[in-house]
Amino acid sequence: MQKIISYFLLFFSLLLLFLVTTRSLNSSLRTYPPFSNTKQTKAIATKKISGSSYVKKQDIKLSSLNAKACCLMDAATGRVLYGKQEDKKLPMASTTKIMTCILALENAEKNDRIPVSSYAASMPDVQLNMQTGDTFYLKDLLYSLMLESHNDTAVAIAEAIGGSVKGFAAMMNQKASELGCTRTHFVTPNGLDDKQHYTTAKELCMIARYAMQNKQFLQIIQAKSHLFSNCNNTRQYQVHNHDVFLSSYAGALGIKTGFTNRAGYCFAGAAKKDGHILISSVLACGWPPHKTYKWNDTKVLMDYGFSHFQNVTVSIPSYDSVIPIQNAVKNTLSLTSSIPSQITYPLSYDDTLTIQRQIPKNPSAPIRQGDIIGYDTISVNRTILEKYPIIAKETIRSRSFSYFAKLLLQCFFFNSLT
């Protein structure tokens, strides 16, 4: 009898130790970030929308484009609507200055004084013809940068903000990385030829798309001209906008031209029609004397985008916020997702937009509050455009040995254990 009591006490001690250890482990696990357990998922409540229900069929061909690489992008969603070697690394000449301008707007004040170094003043054409030791207000130099594409202006801005051209280039590359550009590398703030200075037609659109969200940037690129002087008012300058696209295409918003002997003619453009904004880029779009190729290609791309695609607003299905769960102390799990109640996407006649919820086939405890249970996905023609994580709103414990042991102990000790 004494042995039986001893074994019982040993078992009871080990049980209490296990419960304490389990509770400590659970507390420790709560400090870890959410995890995703979606290896075996099933799709539920799939909704498909056919573009043919909204858009007329168009017979438009883009075989006449002159650019070596080009891209057409929807500004609202970032969806690539058309591409030709859009991922090919190419020099981009002065379209580089889009990044220079947006970094200046984000990292300096418009009334900051920009000094001119001898290195900045030595930049080759196109120039503002700055004088070494002179100073200008940043707000004026940004018009010089974007309207006339002055190379000396770009270097003066870079040195003032980045400490040096090299330091500013590091800022440019950091920003490109933040925007998701993996095939872009900056060496200069003005786009003068360098083998390590390149981008792609797609990533140039991505950079332009970001810049277009800045109201000051929009104001600068749409200005017809700008009159200013240096800080001492000893010299006066006037710059003019040479963006032919801005004045020759209905709804044009501008953006930036470029040319070097290595890059050829380049242009990043944007236009708006019926609330729909498109962004385009053309790289290596001819060499002298074919200066007009970039305008023609941009107009063809914009015409294609506005006639071939239409913004379609779709309501998101109403999903159950509670799902059954196995091996748990309760039978259901509450979920939440950040997917909006409706979305607007550009669709063509041949497009199919799919909204789909994917969750585990047999979700099982334990699950912590904040864990990713699955995803709500939005895709066009099987290409996923957006993914919204489905999050557990509560912590659900499993029906483990410790769970049943605790129930047993509560039966004997009248819920004294919590």
Side-chain angles (χ1 to χ4, degrees), residues 98-117:
I98 298 171
M99 179 65 88
T100 303
C101 184
I102 196 64
L103 280 180
L105 290 171
E106 292 181 346
N107 292 278
E109 298 298 327
K110 63 181 182 179
N111 288 321
D112 284 354
R113 292 171 177 252
I114 306 298
V116 180
S117 69

Side-chain angles (χ1 to χ4, degrees), residues 22 67 71 102 105 161 163 179 191 240 246 281 362 369 389 394 408:
T22 302
C71 181
I102 196 64
L105 290 171
I161 296 175
L179 298 179
H240 300 275
L246 188 61
S281 66
N362 298 299
Q369 182 181 13
E394 57 187 330
L408 181 63

Side-chain angles (χ1 to χ4, degrees), residues 129-143:
N129 292 317
M130 295 173 155
Q131 304 296 312
T132 303
D134 216 343
T135 57
F136 293 84
Y137 290 111
L138 176 64
K139 61 183 179 181
D140 295 320
L141 289 188
L142 292 179
Y143 288 93

